[in-house]
């Protein structure tokens, strides 16, 4: 309190709008520790692959963005590389108890749960189970899978109930206020996600209907970890294609609804998709696909959809990274009662 013109003014700062409520502190801390542990396990697999591979660490760094570069035998693929960084980043936000970490952590947990359920289906096959026993690293691979399942269940159990309960505003929100601005930006991100999902589904249907793909085996590969026939921690093409399309669809729908707590999930998945798209663009460049794409309608369409994905994911990352209006940085916490000053 300070005196001004014979009156008092409350200048105490409000609560940090980006910080989780104190009653959810334990949930954020425990979730952050679990995500950090699993992200560290993936990082250990990456380092092991670099140490055991024929290439150098620089070869691996080049291979992060150039699919044509030789990275040696790797236990993990590009999706796992990107999500290992995402898990560690979300873990840091959770340990810092930032509200944006909640939707990001829940998104990562649901993804881990899907991977674990797929692997669980695969373990019903005796031949696939035997691979865990026969492979020298089978025990470590199984432990990593188990850690992923535990992490998913812990995060979901702790953070689903940790939703913020904003107080009812005393007045209607202004049409040009931070809440309204965030809803508009959120809907833009949602539309970009949904269009990307439709494009991905279209390419998937096209690949399945050309006659060169066994549709039954492809669909089994989405939900059964034993279909590839090898013990591999990296996700299969079937799972990543269908899983990413579903993730884009679900997150896009929630974003269109203008939910204030979707920002973290938007940022994490858009960043992962942006990295993978940049990697694709590098591959197209080194294979001289740019100069050949105009020769066929399919090539031109592939170029157009890739360009759209690059622009869309960049836009979502930029929109979700800025000081968020609405339910994030733009909402102020409660302040003490004000006493009008005497004029």
């Amino acid at each position: 309190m300070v005196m001004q013109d014979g009156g008092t003014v409350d200048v105490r700062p409000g609560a940090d709008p980006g910080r989780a409520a104190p009653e959810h502190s334990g949930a954020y801390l425990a979730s952050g520790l679990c995500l950090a542990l699993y992200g560290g396990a993936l990082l250990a697999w990456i380092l092991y692959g670099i140490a055991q591979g024929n290439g150098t660490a620089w070869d691996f760094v080049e291979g992060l963005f150039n699919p044509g570069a030789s990275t040696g035998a790797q236990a993990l693929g590009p999706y796992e590389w990107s999500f290992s960084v995402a898990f560690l980043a979300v873990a840091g936000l959770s340990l810092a108890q930032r509200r944006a970490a909640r939707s990001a952590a829940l998104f990562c947990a649901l993804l881990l749960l899907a991977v674990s359920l797929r692997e669980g289906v695969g373990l019903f096959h005796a031949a696939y189970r035997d691979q865990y026993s026969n492979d020298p690293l089978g025990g470590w691979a199984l432990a990593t899978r188990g850690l992923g399942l535990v992490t998913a269940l812990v995060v979901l159990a702790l953070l689903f109930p940790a939703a913020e309960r904003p107080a009812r505003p005393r007045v209607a929100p202004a049409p040009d206020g931070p809440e309204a601005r965030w809803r508009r930006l959120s809907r833009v991100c949602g539309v970009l996600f949904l269009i990307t999902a439709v494009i991905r589904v279209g390419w998937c249907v096209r690949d399945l209907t050309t006659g060169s793909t066994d549709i039954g085996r492809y669909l089994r590969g989405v939900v059964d970890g034993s279909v590839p026939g090898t013990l591999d921690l990296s996700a299969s093409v079937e799972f990543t294609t269908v899983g990413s399309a579903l993730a884009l669809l679900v997150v896009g729908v929630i974003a269109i609804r203008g939910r204030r707590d979707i920002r973290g999930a938007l940022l994490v998945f858009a960043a992962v998709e942006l990295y993978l798209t940049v990697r694709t663009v590098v591959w197209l460049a080194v294979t001289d696909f740019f100069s050949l794409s105009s020769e066929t309608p399919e090539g031109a369409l592939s170029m157009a959809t890739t360009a759209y994905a690059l622009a869309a994911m960049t836009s979502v990352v930029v929109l979700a990274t800025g000081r968020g209006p609405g339910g994030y940085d733009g909402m102020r916490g409660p302040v003490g009662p004000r006493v009008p000053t005497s004029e």
Side-chain angles (χ1 to χ4, degrees), residues 199 202-212 284 289-290 292-307:
I199 292 173
W203 279 111
C204 182
V205 172
R206 179 263 176 194
D207 292 338
L208 291 177
T209 54
T210 55
S212 59
L284 296 178
F289 184 81
F290 290 116
L292 301 176
S293 61
S294 60
E295 297 181 1
T296 63
E298 183 178 291
L301 182 60
S302 176
M303 283 294 301
T305 54
T306 301

Side-chain angles (χ1 to χ4, degrees), residues 67-313:
S70 176
T71 59
Q74 294 292 329
L76 305 181
Y79 260 97
E80 290 73 27
W81 298 342
S82 56
F83 271 108
S84 63
V85 176
F87 288 138
L88 293 175
V90 175
L93 290 174
S94 297
L95 293 175
Q97 301 181 47
R98 307 306 297 177
R99 288 175 58 186
R102 179 176 178 267
S103 64
L106 289 174
F107 175 81
C108 293
L110 289 171
L111 175 67
L112 274 179
L113 182 61
V115 171
S116 301
L117 292 177
R118 179 177 180 271
E119 192 67 15
V121 173
L123 290 175
F124 280 103
H125 301 272
Y128 188 65
R129 290 198 305 270
D130 291 340
Q131 293 189 46
Y132 278 103
S133 302
N134 299 329
D135 193 297
L137 297 176
W140 290 106
L142 187 60
T144 303
R145 296 294 194 189
L147 178 61
L149 177 60
V150 172
T151 298
L153 295 177
V154 169
V155 172
L156 291 174
L158 292 178
L159 289 186
F160 256 127
E164 302 290 340
R165 298 286 186 265
R168 295 182 60 183
R170 298 179 181 177
V171 296
D176 58 344
E179 179 74 19
R181 287 197 300 271
W182 163 249
R183 288 184 180 276
R184 289 195 293 269
L185 294 178
S186 179
R187 292 189 180 105
V188 170
C189 294
V191 170
L192 293 175
F193 262 39
L194 290 182
I195 295 176
T196 307
V198 171
I199 292 173
R200 192 151 302 175
V201 170
W203 279 111
C204 182
V205 172
R206 179 263 176 194
D207 292 338
L208 291 177
T209 54
T210 55
S212 59
T213 304
D214 185 338
I215 298 179
R217 187 180 186 281
Y218 186 96
L219 295 179
R220 288 198 307 273
V222 176
V223 298
D224 188 349
S226 68
V227 170
T230 58
L231 181 59
D232 197 349
L233 285 173
S234 61
S236 66
V237 174
E238 299 90 347
F239 178 79
T240 56
T241 301
V242 176
S244 63
L246 288 175
L248 288 166
L249 178 63
V250 173
V251 176
V253 169
I254 297 175
I256 285 180
R257 294 177 59 190
R259 292 289 299 271
R260 63 169 60 89
D261 54 355
I262 197 61
R263 178 189 180 191
L266 279 171
L267 181 57
V268 165
F269 197 47
V272 170
E273 287 290 319
L274 178 59
Y275 161 71
L276 295 171
T277 304
V278 169
R279 200 166 184 269
T280 299
V281 171
V282 173
W283 173 246
L284 296 178
V286 299
T287 56
D288 201 27
F289 184 81
F290 290 116
S291 60
L292 301 176
S293 61
S294 60
E295 297 181 1
T296 63
E298 183 178 291
L301 182 60
S302 176
M303 283 294 301
T305 54
T306 301
Y308 168 80
L310 184 63
M313 294 304 105

